[in-house]
Amino acid sequence: MSKEIDISIRYLENVLSTNNSTLILSSTAAVLEAVSKNCDTTDVELKRSIISLLRIIDKKCFLNQEVDVNHIKFSLQEVGKLSVKCPKSNQKPAEAKVKPNADFREIETVPNPEEENIDNLLNQLNLKKVPSFSPAFPDIGDDSDDENGVTTKQKEEERAEQHGQKVCEEEVVKLPDGREIRMKKTKTVNVKQTTKHVTISTKSANMPEVSRTFMNARRGFDEDEEEENTNFGSSNIRDPFERFRSMLQDKDEKIEAIEGESAEPGTPGSSSKSKTIERTSEVSQKVSEKKEKDGRLLAEHEASKLDKSNLFAKQVDTYQGASLVGRKGEGSYEESTFLRSALPQNSEVATPPRMHVQEYMMMFGDDKKNNENEYLKGTTISSYVRLNNNLTTHEEQFKKRIQFEFSTAGTSSTTIDLDNLSDLLNQTDFNCLRPPNKFLEDTPRIVELPKAIDWQREPTGVPAEKDLLLEPDALDYVIFREKEGKVLEVRGGPKDALIVYATQSTHSSLLYQEAFLITFRTFISALELVNKLIKRYLYMSLANDSQSESIARHTFSVIVRIIDEVTQYELDFDLITSVTSFVYRLIHEGNFTYSRILRTRLLDRIKDSFDIQTVLGTNLCKPKKPHDLFDFKSAEIACQLTYIDSQLYHRIESAELLWWSQEQNEKKSKNLVNFTEQFNNLSFWVRTLIITQPTQKERERHMMKFVKIMKHLREMCNFNSYLAILSAIMSTPLARLEWSKNIKDALKEHTAVMDTAQSYKNYRALLQTAKPPCVPYIGIILQDLTFVHAGNPDTIPIDRCNGAKNMINFLKRWNQFAILDSIRKLKKWNYDIKKNDIVVQYFNGFKDCIDEERTWQLSHQIKPSNRKSKTQT
């Protein structure tokens, strides 16, 4: 038994006594991984023992059934014994198939000296140049009335750069007598540089601002090379290996010869030369700012930015004598940016193209034919398309990946190119549909699948009747939008056809697959879909052709993605049973890799429980003196509100939003309910703090404090708390009261955001230009999803698809995807804010608030209504 297996088994035996399901499942995963790495996984008895162990563990931990621990220990012992009998054989790795020289196409003419090579291509890649980091910090003013104090502002900027490059060149000369001569040369260069700037500014009422700047810099350079670099790939030298061949004449050169000694100079024959470039770059920048007045700290901020890039490129040239007969190359370039504790930068974001905005239009009846062409065109979807474009631009700024290939035939580069969502939503009618070429008999035939399927016992042979899930593709069964004879995108089809189209290896687009995975719950449950996909995978995995194997891989990746995003509500007995039995089936077939991946993802989702008190609660003791709102800076309160909102927002699943728009089920949408309750509680808390103050001066003081907090929330793009406070301030019990001109002027720039005209046009414009990280206001998103659900039919009219019934209307899902995809993209960014327990304790979960009736009573006490005054008179 290997040491790794022995340790994992012993650890699992010890963990069983704790009765902790999470620890037991994690330890079982370690045993499965150790066995798959160190044992012969083709042994039937070993596979049976592993499946037996997993079945018992899953009954205990996944399904919460009573299991005798001795049974688990007995299964563990069996696994241990069989792992000793079935060690992994040390087989030699299969030799890679090497193409003969005849596979290289011989070019009679001299290659064009301007043709693409590795150096020219790298010059065209537009590698990232990291600009200076200039974060935007909030300008915190002094709350005191003393204008004679001395204000000191200190700003520190640090920049550390580390760049490395490794170039490796190798030449292989094949001689006519079969011998080969190799020569390899490597050059490594590392550069390090650090700079630090400190600026201290002092200002007071009696003297002008005085600034002093200090600077410190260091630079290091390290270069290592075995031989001098050659002018590889230069168009001025016909034979770039000429210098190497001249070296072969020097007996003092260290040349590694394979199957022979060095060749005679000038011997004709084929040769090849490869050049590999690896380039890494890392630039770290940190900016901190501190502001003091008379020794009292007013504000302190810090932000950092890390830029990374990685380049890999390889070129292989083939020569016959001195003539270049072939060139092939490939590589990749990836760059990424990470920001910490910074507000959005001042850098310009590319403005999305201007789109035509139309009014809301809905159709609830079919008596007017023209309404079918106008059932959804409006500002709602247009605003989300703009938001998606803005976020895509940000994604390109913060992360980019390019893969490229080149040869004597030309150059090509590939990136993940998603279709333009605005084009897909441009046509909202049913007049441009291309009906399906084939129809299944009795389409669609509704079959009630069992709640749970034991896939170890389920047969996977060819069914007696036609089953679309077993077809390689579903192009003939899907309804497309067609324009001028060109097929553009999916508009609908039978349920099974849409599933097959999402998993087939050709024709299907990445954008359709994303839309399908986000919206499938509107026409099929996660359990039913997983069962259908498992059935498709098992059938395709039994085939021996490459197309079926590719479909099986695509199908499995979709299964993993669904389990990755399954909600806690969907993780019931039936789904867990189907997935775990599929894992046993994979182990039985010897596919330990897929089984470990799927089981790990399922375990991650089961462990992903959430307690809202981890966000809203603290472990601090109750302070002797209760804190006051003015004990904390406005910026700090805004940061902690953003911390709470961000934590709750990232828990919301797309499925919860879809379910809520259809049925408003709180059990299905717990995370969404937590987020909306936070909005309501904060709004009532703000309203309570203002209206319960005994004097007009105190009420205006609190009002101005919340206006300052709103300003910081808007700068941080936390529109959830921003609108919660704004809705409290604009609520009728507060809005009807008399306020000073200063308050009214301070609110002018904010009140327009709540304008409901043109479907919250002002707020949508604000959101579209927001720079992530960002927390949107969820209320309008739910309103838009509800509108899309109510205003769109679930199926395509029969007369638009040649009489076929129950054809899923995927245009409705495209509109839902347009809304949900922007929400998903916003969740890719997160605020780097640390929890301040003192401030969060002061919030007290926003429980300290009065009800609606008491709020109105206080409002009328402060300012009696005219009707009441007349009655008293």
Side-chain angles (χ1 to χ4, degrees):
M1 183 189 303
S2 73
K3 186 176 180 181
E4 186 177 358
I5 297 176
D6 184 38
I7 293 174
S8 62
I9 289 178
R10 288 185 180 182
Y11 186 75
L12 178 54
E13 288 178 342
N14 293 329
V15 165
L16 288 173
S17 60
T18 66
N19 205 30
N20 186 316
S21 296
T22 302
L23 284 176
I24 294 173
L25 287 169
S26 301
S27 304
T28 306
V31 173
L32 179 61
E33 184 174 1
V35 171
S36 63
K37 288 181 179 179
N38 300 282
C39 295
D40 181 9
T41 55
T42 61
D43 185 81
V44 177
E45 292 298 323
L46 178 63
K47 290 188 288 188
R48 285 177 181 172
S49 65
I50 287 290
I51 293 172
S52 176
L53 173 64
L54 293 181
R55 278 187 179 278
I56 302 173
I57 294 289
D58 293 347
K59 283 182 181 179
K60 176 178 176 60
C61 301
F62 282 151
L63 307 178
N64 296 320
Q65 297 180 4
E66 288 293 331
V67 173
D68 189 352
V69 176
N70 292 324
H71 290 170
I72 301 177
K73 292 182 178 180
F74 176 77
S75 296
L76 265 178
Q77 292 173 2
E78 288 297 312
V79 172
K81 292 176 183 178
L82 290 170
S83 64
V84 175
K85 296 180 180 179
C86 310
K88 197 162 192 177
S89 57
N90 296 323
Q91 298 177 350
K92 294 182 180 179
E95 294 184 0
K97 296 180 179 179
V98 181
K99 294 184 178 181
N101 293 336
D103 285 357
F104 290 106
R105 182 180 178 183
E106 185 171 348
I107 302 175
E108 297 180 357
T109 59
V110 178
N112 184 355
E114 299 297 328
E115 72 175 331
E116 204 65 76
N117 60 47
I118 192 170
D119 298 314
N120 293 340
L121 184 62
L122 296 183
N123 290 333
Q124 298 172 16
L125 278 180
N126 190 22
L127 302 185
K128 187 174 185 179
K129 295 179 177 60
V130 181
S132 178
F133 181 43
S134 301
F137 292 128
D139 186 14
I140 309 298
D142 184 12
D143 296 333
S144 68
D145 298 328
D146 183 14
E147 298 181 355
N148 298 319
V150 178
T151 303
T152 303
K153 187 176 181 181
Q154 179 175 319
K155 184 176 183 181
E156 295 186 6
E157 299 179 57
E158 297 181 21
R159 181 181 175 106
E161 300 184 41
Q162 185 171 341
H163 309 281
Q165 177 168 296
K166 181 179 179 181
V167 181
C168 178
E169 298 185 39
E170 183 177 18
E171 181 182 18
V172 180
V173 180
K174 295 183 179 180
L175 303 180
D177 58 4
R179 293 180 297 167
E180 291 184 353
I181 300 176
R182 297 176 182 265
M183 175 173 285
K184 189 175 182 180
K185 183 188 65 157
T186 304
K187 179 179 180 180
T188 306
V189 178
N190 291 302
V191 179
K192 293 183 180 180
Q193 179 174 311
T194 59
T195 57
K196 183 175 182 179
H197 292 262
V198 179
T199 302
I200 301 176
S201 303
T202 306
K203 183 181 179 181
S204 68
N206 300 324
M207 68 176 190
E209 184 174 357
V210 178
S211 297
R212 293 170 293 168
T213 301
F214 308 91
M215 177 181 172
N216 184 21
R218 288 184 297 175
R219 192 172 190 274
F221 181 83
D222 181 23
E223 182 175 0
D224 182 20
E225 59 178 332
E226 296 180 2
E227 297 179 17
E228 189 179 288
N229 193 11
T230 61
N231 192 8
F232 180 82
S234 173
S235 59
N236 298 326
I237 301 178
R238 183 178 179 184
D239 181 6
F241 306 142
E242 182 178 353
R243 187 173 185 280
F244 278 117
R245 293 194 173 89
S246 65
M247 289 180 179
L248 297 178
Q249 302 177 19
D250 190 352
K251 296 181 180 180
D252 296 331
E253 288 291 336
K254 296 180 179 179
I255 300 174
E256 179 186 356
I258 300 177
E259 298 181 0
E261 299 177 353
S262 114
E264 297 178 3
T267 304
S270 64
S271 61
S272 65
K273 180 173 181 179
S274 65
K275 180 177 182 179
T276 304
I277 297 178
E278 297 178 35
R279 186 180 299 170
T280 61
S281 179
E282 186 173 301
V283 180
S284 173
Q285 300 181 84
K286 185 173 75 172
V287 178
S288 61
E289 193 174 272
K290 184 168 64 173
K291 188 175 182 180
E292 296 179 347
K293 186 170 185 179
D294 294 336
R296 181 171 61 92
L297 183 65
L298 297 179
E300 187 173 14
H301 304 285
E302 182 178 294
S304 61
K305 182 168 175 271
L306 178 63
D307 293 272
K308 291 184 176 181
S309 64
N310 292 281
L311 168 71
F312 172 79
K314 183 177 182 180
Q315 173 178 313
V316 179
D317 286 357
T318 307
Y319 284 81
Q320 190 68 39
S323 301
L324 176 66
V325 294
R327 169 172 291 162
K328 290 185 178 181
E330 62 180 359
S332 64
Y333 173 68
E334 185 173 6
E335 62 184 35
S336 58
T337 299
F338 303 93
L339 289 173
R340 292 171 57 87
S341 298
L343 296 176
Q345 298 184 69
N346 295 325
S347 57
E348 290 290 330
V349 177
T351 305
R354 182 170 296 180
M355 302 178 186
H356 179 63
V357 180
Q358 303 183 43
E359 297 294 326
Y360 276 122
M361 293 185 180
M362 297 172 57
M363 183 199 75
F364 292 96
D366 56 358
D367 53 334
K368 295 182 180 180
K369 186 174 181 181
N370 291 335
N371 284 344
E372 293 180 354
N373 299 330
E374 305 293 340
Y375 75 98
L376 180 64
K377 289 182 180 178
T379 56
T380 304
I381 302 302
S382 296
S383 68
Y384 287 106
V385 171
R386 287 186 177 184
L387 177 58
N388 270 296
N389 289 343
N390 184 32
L391 293 175
T392 301
T393 304
H394 263 280
E395 286 179 336
E396 292 173 352
Q397 289 178 351
F398 283 81
K399 192 169 185 179
K400 178 169 68 176
R401 180 173 177 81
I402 301 173
Q403 294 177 321
F404 52 85
E405 296 179 358
F406 60 89
S407 64
T408 50
T411 306
S412 66
S413 63
T414 60
T415 56
I416 298 179
D417 184 18
L418 299 181
D419 300 333
N420 192 335
L421 189 58
S422 60
D423 290 341
L424 300 178
L425 299 171
N426 189 33
Q427 297 290 334
T428 59
D429 54 45
F430 294 123
N431 292 327
C432 301
L433 301 184
R434 191 198 75 176
N437 297 327
K438 295 181 181 179
F439 296 90
L440 292 174
E441 294 184 11
D442 301 324
T443 303
R445 217 179 96 182
I446 301 176
V447 179
E448 186 115 2
L449 289 175
K451 290 188 176 181
I453 297 178
D454 187 349
W455 290 104
Q456 263 204 288
R457 299 180 174 87
E458 187 72 12
T460 54
V462 179
E465 58 184 22
K466 190 173 184 62
D467 190 342
L468 187 55
L469 292 173
L470 309 184
E471 294 292 317
D473 67 59
L475 283 174
D476 292 333
Y477 301 92
V478 176
I479 300 173
F480 292 92
R481 178 166 69 90
E482 195 174 41
K483 185 177 182 180
E484 299 176 356
K486 182 180 178 181
V487 174
L488 298 178
E489 198 39 90
V490 176
R491 276 294 184 259
K495 183 164 50 179
D496 286 356
L498 297 178
I499 295 172
V500 171
Y501 191 70
T503 59
Q504 63 189 47
S505 56
T506 56
H507 302 297
S508 181
S509 71
L510 291 174
L511 190 61
Y512 168 75
Q513 293 172 358
E514 285 295 320
F516 175 85
L517 288 169
I518 288 180
T519 63
F520 71 82
R521 291 174 178 86
T522 59
F523 56 89
I524 186 173
S525 68
L527 172 62
E528 185 181 356
L529 177 58
V530 167
N531 282 334
K532 286 177 176 290
L533 291 172
I534 293 174
K535 179 180 181 180
R536 178 169 172 79
Y537 169 84
L538 292 175
Y539 178 80
M540 292 298 173
S541 63
L542 294 176
N544 294 324
D545 60 289
S546 59
Q547 182 187 16
S548 298
E549 291 175 356
S550 177
I551 294 173
R553 288 194 301 271
H554 279 78
T555 304
F556 182 78
S557 67
V558 174
I559 295 173
V560 172
R561 173 75 181 272
I562 293 171
I563 299 303
D564 258 342
E565 299 177 356
V566 72
T567 66
Q568 293 294 319
Y569 176 80
E570 293 170 316
L571 274 174
D572 56 8
F573 173 89
D574 299 312
L575 181 62
I576 293 174
T577 301
S578 287
V579 175
T580 52
S581 66
F582 178 46
V583 171
Y584 309 150
R585 178 69 174 262
L586 292 171
I587 294 174
H588 178 73
E589 294 176 352
N591 197 337
F592 276 68
T593 302
Y594 279 12
S595 66
R596 285 192 292 112
I597 291 173
L598 189 57
R599 185 178 172 81
T600 301
R601 300 300 173 87
L602 179 62
L603 176 59
D604 290 342
R605 293 306 294 170
I606 291 176
K607 292 191 300 183
D608 188 27
S609 59
F610 177 69
D611 182 6
I612 193 172
Q613 288 305 313
T614 59
V615 178
L616 297 178
T618 67
N619 295 324
L620 298 180
C621 297
K622 189 175 181 180
K624 295 181 180 179
K625 180 183 177 182
H627 286 290
D628 184 76
L629 180 67
F630 296 91
D631 291 342
F632 311 103
K633 294 182 173 61
S634 302
E636 183 59 31
I637 293 177
C639 282
Q640 293 308 303
L641 290 175
T642 302
Y643 166 80
I644 294 172
D645 285 348
S646 178
Q647 294 293 317
L648 299 179
Y649 171 67
H650 278 75
R651 299 290 310 179
I652 300 175
E653 304 286 351
S654 299
E656 297 183 61
L657 296 167
L658 281 175
W659 285 329
W660 189 267
S661 67
Q662 294 175 334
E663 50 188 294
Q664 288 83 44
N665 190 327
E666 292 188 4
K667 292 183 179 179
K668 290 185 176 181
S669 308
K670 288 185 178 180
N671 296 313
L672 177 61
V673 170
N674 288 337
F675 190 71
T676 54
E677 284 184 350
Q678 161 65 14
F679 178 94
N680 295 331
N681 293 340
L682 173 60
S683 184
F684 279 109
W685 181 75
V686 170
R687 195 165 64 172
T688 298
L689 278 180
I690 296 175
I691 206 166
T692 54
Q693 300 306 313
T695 64
Q696 178 71 9
K697 181 179 179 181
E698 283 300 313
R699 286 193 291 272
E700 293 203 351
R701 183 173 175 232
H702 279 72
M703 177 75 84
M704 187 59 73
K705 180 72 171 180
F706 282 116
V707 171
K708 292 179 180 180
I709 294 172
M710 283 171 51
K711 181 181 179 181
H712 293 297
L713 290 169
R714 184 165 175 171
E715 289 174 347
M716 300 174 73
C717 297
N718 179 2
F719 299 118
N720 188 66
S721 288
Y722 171 75
L723 290 181
I725 296 176
L726 185 58
S727 65
I729 292 175
M730 295 181 64
S731 64
T732 308
L734 290 181
R736 62 182 294 275
L737 302 179
E738 298 293 336
W739 300 102
S740 66
K741 185 176 183 301
N742 290 337
I743 298 291
K744 293 179 181 179
D745 291 343
L747 286 173
K748 280 183 180 179
E749 63 174 308
H750 302 291
T751 53
V753 178
M754 289 291 289
D755 186 5
T756 59
Q758 298 184 19
S759 183
Y760 295 94
K761 175 184 176 182
N762 295 335
Y763 167 74
R764 294 182 190 278
L766 186 64
L767 180 62
Q768 290 163 26
T769 57
K771 301 174 184 179
C774 171
V775 180
Y777 170 53
I778 210 73
I780 292 179
I781 296 170
L782 293 174
Q783 172 187 300
D784 294 340
L785 284 171
T786 303
F787 167 74
V788 171
H789 172 66
N792 292 265
D794 276 325
T795 57
I796 299 176
I798 299 176
D799 59 337
R800 300 299 182 186
C801 45
N802 291 350
K805 298 180 180 179
N806 298 318
M807 292 289 167
I808 303 296
N809 175 19
F810 208 78
L811 175 59
K812 177 176 181 176
R813 280 76 197 180
W814 280 124
N815 285 290
Q816 291 168 334
F817 172 69
I819 298 172
L820 295 173
D821 190 48
S822 61
I823 307 308
R824 179 181 63 86
K825 287 181 177 179
L826 281 175
K827 289 168 69 175
K828 291 182 178 180
W829 285 274
N830 201 354
Y831 296 89
D832 185 27
I833 300 175
K834 294 181 180 179
K835 184 178 180 180
N836 187 330
D837 285 332
I838 299 177
V839 178
V840 174
Q841 184 188 51
Y842 166 70
F843 290 155
N844 193 27
F846 308 100
K847 301 173 184 176
D848 304 326
C849 53
I850 59 178
D851 58 20
E852 185 79 11
E853 184 178 355
R854 179 58 181 160
T855 304
W856 274 105
Q857 289 177 357
L858 291 174
S859 178
H860 285 297
Q861 288 178 11
I862 297 169
K863 180 185 177 183
S865 62
N866 294 331
R867 181 176 58 83
K868 186 175 181 180
S869 300
K870 290 179 180 179
T871 303
Q872 291 175 348
T873 303

